[in-house]
Amino acid sequence: MFVTGIRLTHHKDGRCRWNPMNKLGRNDPCPCGSGKKYKQCCLSREQAARPRAGALERDEPFIAELRPDLDEAVDRVLRRLEQGAGTRIESEITALFEENPDYHLTNYAMGVYRAMVIKDPAGAIRFFERAVKILPPFPEAHFNLGNAARQAFDIPKAVAAYRAVERYAQDDGIAEMARKELEVLEKILLNTTAFPTLDAYVANAQLFDRAFQFLTDRQFEQAVELFKRVLSENPTHVQSYGNLALAYAGLGRRSDAMACFDRALELDSRYQPALLNRRVMAQMREGEPFIPEAVQEVQFYAERLRNQPGRGGSDAARI
């Protein structure tokens, strides 16, 4: 589910300012109105509800332009979308974006349109990311970014986005929606993986991404080291065995590469990237590096899930 509604808040000077030094202090009056100090009232409860330390990026001051006229125009288009206008709003929403490509709400609207009407959550991500880069305390955009990333199977990005909703939301409604999404993600991942916590899964996924970047950059020694670290924490991760095989091939270690392909296929005999790449690597000689022209990212398992009923030169393949 994606949200379309937006909270329109206008400042007299046409600017939105955010300064992390203005956050509520421990000795300040509690905002709940109890008359007690914050530390003696709601602080402990709110700290317990917050993400673990390190889960979110640091706050940075920013100034963003606010344009009431443009806000109202975007709001009108999004209301029409809610009423079922569908592709009939495409020209209007595209014109607003093309005329104002660096405004948070036009990027938000394009993201909503791509996610809800075009059914392209992966394509919506860059618009939501741009919206929250321009205006970080934009909980609706963070929430939609989380949903788009989850549907695109980018779990670390989804988790970070939902936690940003909790961080910036000024009302409990959307914050509670984000908490529920995080709870569902955590339940699924803890039931289907060996990781003890959601943060452990995210850290391992980020390590995988770093390893793949080394592979793409042809830094094969570093790629081998990181893929082995991924597998030490997640020993049945099929994609890591397939990519570790490519890194070994780049180093000329044919026997190690073939062993990794075999292990990937032992875990999943239908893992197409390993089947294809193994046939190619079988032609290489021990000690002679095999370096593909490109390492292509293939979302194999994501595509398999999407295709399930009811679910929505030489190149080498990742995932």
Side-chain angles (χ1 to χ4, degrees), residues 155-172:
I155 303 304
K157 185 170 291 184
V159 169
Y162 290 137
R163 287 177 172 170
V165 176
E166 294 182 297
R167 176 191 197 177
Y168 291 122
Q170 296 179 5
D171 64 77
D172 290 335

Side-chain angles (χ1 to χ4, degrees), residues 1-14:
M1 180 186 71
F2 292 90
V3 297
T4 58
I6 47 179
R7 181 192 299 270
L8 301 181
T9 302
H10 301 139
H11 296 248
K12 291 181 179 180
D13 65 353

Side-chain angles (χ1 to χ4, degrees), residues 219-256:
Q219 300 182 47
F220 299 120
E221 291 282 4
Q222 295 93 326
V224 166
E225 178 184 351
L226 292 193
F227 280 127
K228 289 172 73 172
R229 283 175 55 189
V230 171
L231 288 165
S232 70
E233 300 171 3
N234 191 8
T236 60
H237 194 240
V238 178
Q239 302 97 311
S240 287
Y241 279 109
N243 289 325
L244 180 56
L246 298 178
Y248 277 137
L251 295 172
R253 295 168 58 174
R254 180 187 182 279
S255 59
D256 289 330

Side-chain angles (χ1 to χ4, degrees), residues 58-110:
R58 293 178 54 195
D59 281 325
E60 296 291 343
F62 76 92
I63 298 177
E65 179 186 22
L66 295 179
R67 291 182 49 189
D69 60 330
L70 188 52
D71 293 350
E72 295 294 347
V74 170
D75 191 42
R76 284 195 298 271
V77 174
L78 291 179
R79 283 201 298 268
R80 289 178 57 203
L81 187 152
E82 286 181 333
Q83 294 165 1
T87 56
R88 294 194 300 276
I89 66 169
E90 181 173 1
S91 61
E92 187 175 351
I93 209 165
T94 301
L96 285 170
F97 173 75
E98 290 179 348
E99 293 169 8
N100 307 275
D102 297 320
Y103 195 64
H104 63 287
L105 279 184
T106 56
N107 280 274
Y108 174 78
M110 280 296 293

Side-chain angles (χ1 to χ4, degrees), residues 29-296:
C30 188
C32 74
S34 67
K36 298 179 182 180
K37 290 184 178 181
Y38 183 45
K39 67 182 180 182
Q40 296 169 337
C41 191
C42 294
L43 174 61
S44 59
R45 175 178 58 81
E46 292 182 2
Q47 285 179 330
R50 289 173 189 160
R52 287 164 284 278
L56 295 172
E57 296 178 357
R58 293 178 54 195
D59 281 325
E60 296 291 343
F62 76 92
I63 298 177
E65 179 186 22
L66 295 179
R67 291 182 49 189
D69 60 330
L70 188 52
D71 293 350
E72 295 294 347
V74 170
D75 191 42
R76 284 195 298 271
V77 174
L78 291 179
R79 283 201 298 268
R80 289 178 57 203
L81 187 152
E82 286 181 333
Q83 294 165 1
T87 56
R88 294 194 300 276
I89 66 169
E90 181 173 1
S91 61
E92 187 175 351
I93 209 165
T94 301
L96 285 170
F97 173 75
E98 290 179 348
E99 293 169 8
N100 307 275
D102 297 320
Y103 195 64
H104 63 287
L105 279 184
T106 56
N107 280 274
Y108 174 78
M110 280 296 293
V112 170
Y113 180 77
R114 293 207 67 85
M116 294 184 64
V117 179
I118 307 301
K119 307 299 183 186
D120 178 21
I125 287 175
R126 67 185 179 96
F127 295 106
F128 292 133
E129 286 182 325
R130 180 63 177 156
V132 299
K133 183 176 181 180
I134 297 168
L135 186 70
F138 191 173
E140 294 89 351
H142 284 292
F143 183 80
N144 285 346
L145 173 58
N147 283 351
R150 176 175 52 79
Q151 292 183 26
F153 300 94
D154 189 338
I155 303 304
K157 185 170 291 184
V159 169
Y162 290 137
R163 287 177 172 170
V165 176
E166 294 182 297
R167 176 191 197 177
Y168 291 122
Q170 296 179 5
D171 64 77
D172 290 335
I174 196 166
E176 182 60 25
M177 290 165 63
R179 280 192 286 271
K180 287 181 178 179
E181 294 292 345
L182 284 168
E183 289 171 2
V184 169
L185 270 180
E186 185 159 35
K187 182 177 180 180
I188 292 172
L189 291 170
L190 298 191
N191 286 339
T192 57
T193 72
F195 294 102
T197 66
L198 180 59
D199 283 339
Y201 175 89
V202 168
N204 190 266
Q206 291 171 336
L207 187 63
F208 175 88
D209 288 338
R210 287 174 55 203
F212 183 72
Q213 189 59 56
F214 279 130
L215 180 63
T216 301
D217 294 340
R218 303 187 182 189
Q219 300 182 47
F220 299 120
E221 291 282 4
Q222 295 93 326
V224 166
E225 178 184 351
L226 292 193
F227 280 127
K228 289 172 73 172
R229 283 175 55 189
V230 171
L231 288 165
S232 70
E233 300 171 3
N234 191 8
T236 60
H237 194 240
V238 178
Q239 302 97 311
S240 287
Y241 279 109
N243 289 325
L244 180 56
L246 298 178
Y248 277 137
L251 295 172
R253 295 168 58 174
R254 180 187 182 279
S255 59
D256 289 330
M258 299 303 285
C260 287
F261 284 134
D262 289 342
R263 177 55 177 155
L265 293 170
E266 180 183 338
L267 292 167
D268 182 358
S269 61
R270 297 186 299 160
Y271 185 52
Q272 196 68 16
L275 289 168
L276 296 174
N277 289 331
R278 191 185 188 284
R279 285 199 290 269
V280 175
M281 303 305 171
Q283 308 302 316
M284 69 178 287
R285 296 180 181 179
E286 189 71 38
E288 294 183 1
F290 180 92
I291 302 177
E293 295 176 4
V295 179
Q296 179 185 358

